[in-house]
Amino acid sequence: MFNQSHVQSWVDSLQEIFKKGQSNYKNLLQMEKDIQQISSFLEDYTNLRYALDASAIVAVTDDRGKILYVNDKFCELSKYSKEELLGQDHRILNSGYHDKNFFKEMWNTIKNGEIWESEVRNRAKDGSYYWVKTTIVPFKDQEGQPIMHIAIRTDITEGKIAQEKLVEALQNDFSHVVNSLNNLIFKVAKDKLGKFIYILNEGKLAYQLGLDNEKMHGKQPEEVFSSEIASMLVQKYELAFLGKPVTYNYAYRNRQLLTYLSPIYREGKVVEIIGCINDITELHHVQEEVEFMAFHDLLTSLPNRRKFCDDLNHLMRKSREKGEKIAVFFLDLDRFKQINDSLGHTVGDQLIKAVAMKLKTEICSKSEIYRLAGDEFIIIYPNIESKDKVINYAKKLLAIFDQSILLGANEIYTTCSMGISLFPEHGGDCDSLLKKADIAMYAAKLKGRNNYCIYEQEMNQANEEALLIENHLRKAIDNNELELFFQPKMDLSTRQINGMEALLRWNSPMFGNIPPDKFIPIAEDTGLIIKIDNWVIERACEQNKEWNSSWYSSPLRVAVNISPLHFRLPNFHNVIENVLEKTGLDPNLLEIEITENSFIDHIEECIECLNKLRNMGITVAIDDFGKGYSSLNYLRKFPIHSLKIDRSFIHEVAKNREDIAIVKAITYLAHELNLKVVAEGIETREVIEVLEEIGCDEIQGYYVSRPLPKKEFEAIYRRLPYQLL
């Protein structure tokens, strides 16, 4: 069978004979030779035509595309007679399948005298469709310009139908699988102008959001979403096209959507990105509810102490940069206990709510009010220019209480005492400013109540004691004054001890037994906590290795609480690694507890360190969960195993519905993230029953056992479960 190269060669040779014949006929002999050669070519042409007619679908058109000749196979396939085709152009066969650019490229090719090849779908006279593999060869005049074209076609309909059926079957199977999922799978590519367009949108969520493939295919983000969302999406797609996996979430149509993007490579280059969208609305609502309950007072809906510390920390960071001052007001209602006791707790709660409303109404827009506890409130005033402004604020607040408060049939007169501390003059952290404002508030009460005081150094007689504690604490390790106590942890479902927490105690020759909450803050302020923590880790691992080798019927894990300062220093994981190597303790039998404050300001460093610990086999837990503000935002990012709910939520959980709701919400959220939940501060059997119903995993507290020195812990270990039955 002849291909296009054979045809073009024959045409070129024939044209060359005619060119030579016009100028080189010098004698009859030469002319006779040329005539013989032409005759030979005409015979070849006859053979070529026969071969083509027998094996291919052939059509000849002029330079404008008008059909000059078609063979029988052409008519047979197209269902048109020769009379119907001659003089027409190939638009008579146009199926509408190919776009204008397809035919534009074809004409550009053949007009340049080049051979064009492609697969074409045509429509027959009866409306049916067929596919042909098409080769168009141009015939050129003496100047090399195409004057007609021969189109040689091969019927490939059966193969294309089989291919289309296979593709359709695969697509249907893919669509069936994807549309069975509850999420949304999509693909993004770039068009010729470099704009992002959607080329796939499938899944149940796609239809629920109105983002199904039929509506999205070929669309740009700007054509579908608001300008704000579209701009954000384009930024994320650009990152993914740089080869970076991207994770983000956003709100759309009253839903919270979590999206993962992955680049698709072809020949080492990103050509598309594939995305998966999950609906996390329910989880988001739970998180919002937990955040609100954790950081707001349920009686007044005011932000609570946890939120106060977080807000103040953020304000202090900004104020340091601008050189501005902040005032912290500590308000305590005078004689509230007498009102509460005489009129009842219901009236007392109503009074607290009424005072909260008065304060919210009167304070300036830039300030914020918090309920600390009981009848205590805190107000933050930023951008303080002078003490005169502070005094002016204080007088306005006192004036609020000049008028009585009417609560039903009760007309109540109450006043307040206020203490004020200033940043940075009186401290550079939340605890210092709050403590000094508290000291100033008591000074105001001593002045006769219904008064205010700005903190002064003379008010703090405890400073000298703190300095003495610091000096003696520096020698405590060397003088063997520190000791570890151990408090058991119990599996709530089996009632078996499954671990313990190592707790530091200090028996000073000068001060006696000093509570940890008194000397630990001093150790952190002075940096001594690093040395102390290292001592605690080594002793705890050493002791647990001894117990696991000789005492326990099954291995128990020891937990050690680590100061946030460790995450500001490099290579903390090396310290742990050296301790484990020195003591021989299995890494799986060590748990590191960190507070939420450990990572608020050092997120990336903390994640990196915790990943290294986790890779070593060490368990990581967040202690006092609920006291920090940023934890829920980063909870899914941190390589942790469990949450220890802060005892402030557990203490009244058997009596207080709000605390039950908070603990239940935290437990649900933790279990959704495959985390264990540990409740600490257990003091009554009623609390255990509530926690068991909620689904808490482990408990720890005085009801199980108080923290014990080594020998007492060994004595109680074997009989403890039976004491709780």
Side-chain angles (χ1 to χ4, degrees):
M1 180 176 174
F2 291 93
N3 58 28
Q4 67 267 26
S5 60
H6 294 141
V7 174
Q8 188 63 52
S9 175
W10 184 86
V11 173
D12 291 343
S13 299
L14 186 60
Q15 289 176 338
E16 184 64 25
I17 291 174
F18 283 114
K19 289 180 183 178
K20 289 164 56 179
Q22 291 177 359
S23 57
N24 295 331
Y25 291 154
K26 297 180 179 178
N27 53 57
L28 291 175
L29 183 61
Q30 181 64 44
M31 182 180 295
E32 183 180 356
K33 289 181 179 180
D34 289 341
I35 290 172
Q36 290 176 353
Q37 192 172 2
I38 291 172
S39 175
S40 176
F41 273 110
L42 290 174
E43 184 178 351
D44 288 344
Y45 167 73
T46 302
N47 294 333
L48 173 63
R49 176 177 173 179
Y50 175 78
L52 287 174
D53 281 340
S55 61
I57 303 157
V58 181
V60 178
T61 64
D62 62 16
D63 60 340
R64 293 176 298 172
K66 296 297 182 181
I67 299 174
L68 303 177
Y69 168 80
V70 292
N71 67 353
D72 293 338
K73 283 186 174 293
F74 192 107
C75 296
E76 180 183 343
L77 188 60
S78 69
K79 307 292 194 300
Y80 286 101
S81 65
K82 290 184 179 181
E83 291 74 14
E84 291 174 312
L85 291 170
L86 295 178
Q88 299 288 335
D89 58 31
H90 278 78
R91 290 190 184 92
I92 194 175
L93 305 173
N94 194 334
S95 65
Y97 179 83
H98 306 283
D99 59 22
K100 293 181 179 180
N101 289 331
F102 179 83
F103 294 108
K104 184 178 180 180
E105 181 185 352
M106 178 197 76
W107 277 107
N108 288 339
T109 301
I110 60 179
K111 282 182 177 180
N112 289 332
E114 300 173 2
I115 296 173
W116 180 83
E117 269 191 321
S118 189
E119 295 178 352
V120 183
R121 188 172 88 156
N122 286 335
R123 182 174 61 186
K125 183 178 180 179
D126 62 2
S128 62
Y129 296 100
Y130 62 92
W131 283 88
V132 285
K133 172 73 173 177
T134 302
T135 301
I136 300 178
V137 181
F139 282 74
K140 305 173 188 176
D141 60 15
Q142 295 180 10
E143 284 74 30
Q145 295 299 315
I147 57 173
M148 66 177 60
H149 310 93
I150 180 170
I152 304 170
R153 297 175 171 85
T154 305
D155 186 2
I156 58 171
T157 304
E158 290 186 7
K160 291 295 289 188
I161 291 174
Q163 179 183 338
E164 288 174 352
K165 286 182 178 180
L166 176 60
V167 171
E168 183 180 1
L170 292 173
Q171 288 177 339
N172 289 339
D173 186 55
F174 171 78
S175 297
H176 178 73
V177 171
V178 172
N179 287 324
S180 298
L181 301 176
N182 288 321
N183 53 10
L184 190 161
I185 305 297
F186 68 96
K187 287 174 72 176
V188 177
K190 288 185 177 181
D191 62 15
K192 293 182 179 180
L193 299 176
K195 298 287 187 180
F196 293 115
I197 57 171
Y198 295 99
I199 58 175
L200 173 72
N201 275 69
E202 296 289 356
K204 288 183 180 178
L205 187 57
Y207 291 91
Q208 293 169 6
L209 295 173
L211 301 176
D212 52 280
N213 201 54
E214 184 176 347
K215 297 177 182 176
M216 296 288 289
H217 192 273
K219 297 280 185 68
Q220 298 176 16
E222 296 84 355
E223 298 177 84
V224 181
F225 301 100
S226 67
S227 58
E228 182 179 355
I229 293 179
S231 177
M232 180 273 295
L233 294 177
V234 168
Q235 290 179 1
K236 302 301 182 184
Y237 298 161
E238 286 173 347
L239 284 175
F241 259 86
L242 293 175
K244 300 177 182 178
V246 180
T247 303
Y248 57 95
N249 62 280
Y250 61 100
Y252 181 71
R253 294 193 174 178
N254 298 320
R255 301 204 192 193
Q256 287 291 326
L257 306 177
L258 176 63
T259 305
Y260 303 92
L261 298 180
S262 298
I264 299 176
Y265 290 86
R266 192 172 296 132
E267 298 179 357
K269 182 181 178 182
V270 178
V271 294
E272 295 173 345
I273 51 178
I274 187 167
C276 177
I277 299 179
N278 296 293
D279 185 351
I280 59 168
T281 305
E282 184 176 351
L283 185 61
H284 180 77
H285 288 163
V286 171
Q287 179 173 324
E288 285 184 330
E289 185 178 351
V290 171
E291 283 188 358
F292 183 85
M293 290 189 293
F295 305 114
H296 289 78
D297 168 53
L298 298 183
L299 178 63
T300 63
S301 295
L302 290 175
N304 60 16
R305 177 171 181 162
R306 302 179 185 94
K307 185 68 164 64
F308 159 72
C309 288
D310 184 74
D311 288 351
L312 184 57
N313 285 329
H314 281 83
L315 274 174
M316 287 190 293
R317 281 195 289 270
K318 292 180 180 178
S319 296
R320 285 190 186 98
E321 297 172 0
K322 299 179 180 179
E324 296 175 342
K325 292 184 178 182
I326 303 170
V328 175
F329 282 58
F330 193 117
L331 283 69
D332 183 271
L333 298 184
D334 297 326
R335 290 180 292 275
F336 176 75
K337 187 176 186 302
Q338 291 91 321
I339 297 172
N340 212 29
D341 292 343
S342 60
L343 299 178
H345 292 285
T346 300
V347 174
D349 286 347
Q350 291 174 354
L351 177 59
I352 293 296
K353 292 170 67 175
V355 170
M357 185 62 66
K358 273 180 171 283
L359 292 172
K360 283 193 289 186
T361 303
E362 296 297 329
I363 63 174
C364 67
S365 59
K366 292 183 179 179
S367 56
E368 186 63 73
I369 180 173
Y370 307 81
R371 186 187 180 201
L372 186 63
D375 61 333
E376 297 172 338
F377 297 88
I378 305 170
I379 302 176
I380 299 177
Y381 286 98
N383 307 323
I384 296 298
E385 299 159 1
S386 65
K387 284 192 177 181
D388 289 339
K389 193 169 187 178
V390 173
I391 293 171
N392 186 42
Y393 284 142
K395 289 179 178 179
K396 285 185 177 180
L397 288 172
L398 290 176
I400 294 175
F401 297 91
D402 289 344
Q403 301 296 321
S404 63
I405 298 175
L406 189 63
L407 300 175
N410 299 301
E411 185 178 9
I412 299 174
Y413 287 89
T414 186
T415 57
C416 79
S417 298
M418 283 183 290
I420 305 164
S421 61
L422 300 174
F423 168 84
E425 183 178 340
H426 298 145
D429 61 79
C430 175
D431 289 339
S432 296
L433 292 170
L434 188 58
K435 181 179 179 181
K436 290 173 181 177
D438 191 11
I439 292 171
M441 183 270 294
Y442 278 104
K445 284 188 179 291
L446 292 174
K447 288 175 64 175
R449 303 179 188 274
N450 193 26
N451 215 323
Y452 70 90
C453 282
I454 299 175
Y455 173 80
E456 295 177 0
Q457 182 66 32
E458 292 75 16
M459 296 175 182
N460 190 1
Q461 298 177 354
N463 277 351
E464 292 183 8
E465 183 184 17
L467 289 172
L468 284 173
I469 290 176
E470 178 187 339
N471 290 334
H472 284 266
L473 187 59
R474 293 183 182 276
K475 305 172 185 177
I477 294 179
D478 296 334
N479 293 342
N480 201 29
E481 298 172 11
L482 300 179
E483 182 182 3
L484 286 186
F485 278 40
F486 299 90
Q487 187 173 34
K489 291 182 181 180
M490 178 171 287
D491 187 300
L492 194 52
S493 61
T494 64
R495 292 294 202 275
Q496 296 294 316
I497 296 175
N498 62 353
M500 82 291 291
E501 181 177 2
L503 300 166
L504 182 62
R505 297 293 183 264
W506 179 22
N507 187 11
S508 168
M510 180 174 181
F511 302 103
N513 290 319
I514 303 177
D517 59 359
K518 193 170 186 178
F519 71 83
I520 291 296
I522 296 174
E524 289 187 330
D525 286 342
T526 58
L528 286 171
I529 194 67
I530 300 297
K531 182 179 180 181
I532 292 173
D533 276 355
N534 291 347
W535 180 88
V536 171
I537 294 168
E538 184 171 338
R539 288 299 174 89
C541 290
E542 187 177 66
Q543 182 61 71
N544 202 34
K545 173 65 177 177
E546 176 188 331
W547 279 338
N548 274 290
S549 299
S550 57
W551 277 83
Y552 303 150
S553 57
S554 58
L556 297 186
R557 183 183 294 122
V558 64
V560 179
N561 205 302
I562 297 300
S563 167
L565 290 177
H566 285 283
F567 296 101
R568 301 177 190 177
L569 302 175
N571 303 323
F572 171 62
H573 67 283
N574 289 338
V575 174
I576 302 295
E577 196 171 33
N578 292 336
V579 168
L580 292 173
E581 185 177 350
K582 181 178 179 180
T583 61
L585 182 69
D586 187 333
N588 291 310
L589 301 180
L590 174 62
E591 179 175 75
I592 297 297
E593 293 185 1
I594 63 173
T595 61
E596 296 169 86
N597 292 332
S598 300
F599 53 79
I600 287 177
D601 296 323
H602 302 82
I603 296 168
E604 299 303 327
E605 295 89 338
C606 187
I607 290 176
E608 182 180 0
C609 180
L610 294 181
N611 274 321
K612 291 176 180 177
L613 294 178
R614 184 168 185 170
N615 292 337
M616 292 164 58
I618 294 169
T619 302
V620 179
I622 292 184
D623 193 19
D624 299 333
F625 182 77
K627 291 177 71 175
Y629 175 61
S630 300
S631 61
L632 294 178
N633 295 330
Y634 302 108
L635 198 55
R636 64 185 178 83
K637 294 184 179 180
F638 275 76
I640 58 177
H641 301 81
S642 61
L643 301 179
K644 294 186 72 175
I645 302 176
D646 182 59
R647 66 182 65 245
S648 64
F649 295 124
I650 301 300
H651 185 64
E652 297 290 333
V653 76
K655 304 174 184 177
N656 191 315
R657 287 184 300 174
E658 288 81 4
D659 285 346
I660 291 176
I662 291 175
V663 173
K664 186 181 292 185
I666 292 175
T667 302
Y668 172 81
L669 178 63
H671 286 168
E672 284 293 305
L673 297 172
N674 295 319
L675 302 177
K676 282 190 174 182
V677 177
V678 183
E680 54 183 349
I682 308 300
E683 296 182 1
T684 65
R685 186 180 186 87
E686 289 77 15
V687 171
I688 293 179
E689 291 172 355
V690 172
L691 293 174
E692 191 171 23
E693 184 178 345
I694 288 174
C696 186
D697 301 299
E698 297 177 3
I699 57 174
Q700 178 183 348
Y702 273 46
Y703 188 79
V704 178
S705 170
R706 62 182 176 85
L708 300 169
K710 174 186 174 182
K711 290 185 178 179
E712 291 185 38
F713 184 86
E714 293 172 349
I716 202 174
Y717 167 66
R718 296 187 183 278
R719 68 174 184 269
L720 185 56
Y722 304 101
Q723 293 177 332
L724 295 176
L725 296 176

